[in-house]
């Protein structure tokens, strides 16, 4: 019995150590995504600059595109705008999914669409506009359905609206060449 009392905590310690040690070598930007090879989740969301225009999965089908989750508040998103603009100039179709930070009415915060539109327009004018259009996900419903953990995140979507890849982090020349360019080109054919 005494040996068992020693062995149980020791086995738990070894198991926990192995689990934590394996985490040291994992890449948080490389994780399995539950939406790969599945259609875009159902949504009906307004265009950020033209709220009377409603986007749905059917309205974005037809050509492969990158769905880029971003926000003006996101420093990394701002850093990737210039390179994404270069990609758009090369013919890559990019759709923005604006990640709206939550507002808390208890603290007197209210959502102001006009102010957001101005802020986004100014940011894109200053740093480049890679987006064909921007979808506003004010309540973050589509963002949650996609399993987004933060911004920026980018989804490669084929012409039928099926998600083919999910990248966490910014898109830069290295990421584009190593992870997304070949897949995007194969969807063009």
């Amino acid at each position: 019995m005494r040996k068992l009392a020693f062995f149980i905590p020791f086995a738990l310690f070894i198991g926990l150590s192995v689990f934590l040690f394996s985490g040291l070598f994992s890449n948080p930007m490389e994780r399995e995504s539950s939406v790969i090879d599945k259609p875009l989740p159902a949504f009906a969301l307004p265009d950020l600059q033209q709220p009377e225009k409603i986007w749905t999965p059917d309205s974005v089908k037809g050509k492969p595109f990158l769905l880029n989750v971003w926000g003006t508040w996101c420093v990394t998103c701002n850093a990737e705008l210039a390179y994404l603009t270069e990609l758009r100039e090369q013919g890559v179709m990019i759709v923005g999914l604006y990640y709206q930070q939550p507002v808390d009415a208890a603290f007197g915060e209210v959502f102001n669409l006009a102010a957001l539109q101005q802020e986004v327009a100014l940011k894109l004018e200053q740093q480049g506009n890679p987006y064909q259009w921007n979808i506003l996900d004010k309540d973050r419903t589509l963002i949650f359905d996609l399993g987004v953990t933060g911004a920026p995140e980018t989804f490669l979507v084929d012409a039928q609206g099926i998600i083919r890849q999910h990248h966490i982090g910014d898109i830069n020349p290295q990421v584009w060449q190593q992870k997304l360019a070949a897949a995007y080109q194969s969807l063009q054919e």
Side-chain angles (χ1 to χ4, degrees):
M1 187 64 169
R2 196 161 200 223
K3 287 181 183 180
L4 189 59
F6 171 76
F7 180 71
I8 291 175
F10 182 70
L12 289 172
F13 172 76
I14 293 298
L16 182 62
S17 296
V18 168
F19 173 74
L20 294 174
F21 186 74
S22 67
L24 291 174
F25 301 101
S26 65
N27 183 350
M29 292 185 167
E30 307 243 348
R31 66 173 174 86
E32 292 296 318
S33 178
S34 63
V35 296
I36 301 296
D37 294 328
K38 293 184 180 166
L40 282 169
F43 66 91
L45 295 170
D47 187 282
L48 177 60
Q49 297 299 343
Q50 301 171 24
E52 64 281 355
K53 170 82 172 140
I54 302 297
W55 295 103
T56 65
D58 287 337
S59 63
V60 298
K61 288 180 184 177
K63 289 179 62 176
F65 65 95
L66 298 178
L67 180 64
N68 180 250
V69 178
W70 77 291
T72 57
W73 50 268
C74 169
V75 175
T76 308
C77 301
N78 295 331
E80 78 176 346
L81 284 174
Y83 186 68
L84 290 176
T85 301
E86 285 181 35
L87 291 177
R88 179 181 180 175
E89 291 167 356
Q90 295 170 22
V92 175
M93 184 171 168
I94 305 171
V95 174
L97 177 57
Y98 192 84
Y99 191 134
Q100 176 61 34
Q101 291 283 55
V103 294
D104 192 341
F107 291 104
E109 297 175 350
V110 293
F111 177 71
N112 185 335
L113 179 60
L116 178 61
Q117 289 171 323
Q118 268 187 318
E119 183 181 3
V120 167
L122 181 62
K123 179 68 67 180
L124 296 178
E125 182 182 315
Q126 291 171 342
Q127 294 185 284
N129 184 357
Y131 305 113
Q132 303 290 341
W133 62 83
N134 265 295
I135 299 170
L136 174 60
D137 193 3
K138 181 177 161 256
D139 297 321
R140 300 180 316 283
T141 53
L142 178 57
I143 285 172
F144 289 142
D145 289 345
L146 289 169
V148 171
T149 58
E153 292 191 28
T154 302
F155 298 85
L156 175 58
V157 182
D158 70 15
Q160 290 75 40
I162 306 297
I163 299 168
R164 296 300 176 189
Q165 285 193 16
H166 178 188
H167 174 73
I168 299 171
D170 69 316
I171 302 296
N172 56 49
Q174 181 181 4
V175 167
W176 177 250
Q177 288 304 319
Q178 291 179 354
K179 297 185 177 185
L180 295 169
Y184 182 82
Q185 292 305 322
S186 72
L187 294 176
Q188 294 284 39
E189 299 167 357

